[in-house]
Each structure stands twice: as C-alpha cells, then as structure tokens.
Amino acid sequence: MEIIPTTSAIVLVAALIGVIGAFQVQRYLGRREAAVAFRATIDPTVFSSFNGRLMLSGHVLHAALIEVFPAHLAAAHEFRRYLGPVDRWRFRKAWHAYHGGSEEYPDWFKRYCLPDNGPQLLVQRLEALRNAASQI
C-alpha cells in the first residue's frame, strides 16, 4: 500500500512550519528589544568619574551603585530570558563578575569602593556586560 500525502497533511505541515517561524521571529524581536533596553540601562560612563582613593567618593559610588542596581537587575532578568545556552553562560559569567555572585546582597563597597582601582574595575565590568549584550 502506497502512502500518498494528502492536501490536508501538506497544509498541516505548512501551518506547523509557519507557526514555528513566527515563534522564532517573535523570539528574535524580543531578544533584540531586551538587548537594546539592557544596553541602555547599563551605562559605564556614569561611574568613570569617581575617584576610588577618596573615602568620600567611595561612599558616593556605593550609594550610586545601590540606587542603580535594581534597574540593572530587572534589565538583566528580562534580557536573560531570550538567551540560548552558550549566550546565557557568557552573560552569566559577566553578570557574576559585576555583582560578585549574590544578586540579593552584593557587597559593592568591598568590590568597588575600597580598592584604589575600584571605579575603573566597575567600568570595565559594566563594559563587559554591555559587550555580552552586544554580541546577540
């Protein structure tokens, strides 16, 4: 007995291909929008003017980091949803280098305010985050 594809089977396969294609297009557009929003949220130039040697500017830097981190965290969570396994690993590596491995209790003062090169290190890590989002 020979199996001959019927018109309904061909239509079903074409519809399935269309649905999968539409899903991929929506995923691509969502990833692109999330990447743009993430890159807009992460702005290393804001922190490049801080001088880590002065304790006063360390406190100002710490306060600025505490203020801006919720926006960074929300943008990172939204962006991470659209990443595949390799991109997610690359992004997670840069994200953990930025906040130190604890999203709930990052120790900004110890990481970026006490060392003499803390503000420069912060700018480098923020730029690495932006670059991870730019490669998508």
Side-chain angles (χ1 to χ4, degrees), residues 12-73:
L12 182 62
V13 170
L16 184 60
I17 291 172
V19 167
I20 291 172
F23 176 73
Q24 291 298 327
V25 167
Q26 287 299 327
R27 184 168 172 82
Y28 170 76
L29 292 175
R31 180 177 56 212
R32 190 175 70 182
E33 289 175 16
V36 168
F38 181 76
R39 286 191 303 268
T41 303
I42 304 295
D43 186 12
T45 60
V46 171
F47 299 105
S48 61
S49 63
F50 286 96
N51 183 358
R53 292 180 212 160
L54 299 174
M55 189 56 80
L56 176 63
S57 67
H59 289 291
V60 173
L61 175 62
H62 189 249
L65 281 166
I66 290 172
E67 182 179 329
V68 77
F69 186 68
H72 289 181
L73 183 62

Side-chain angles (χ1 to χ4, degrees), residues 7 114 132:
T7 306
L114 289 179

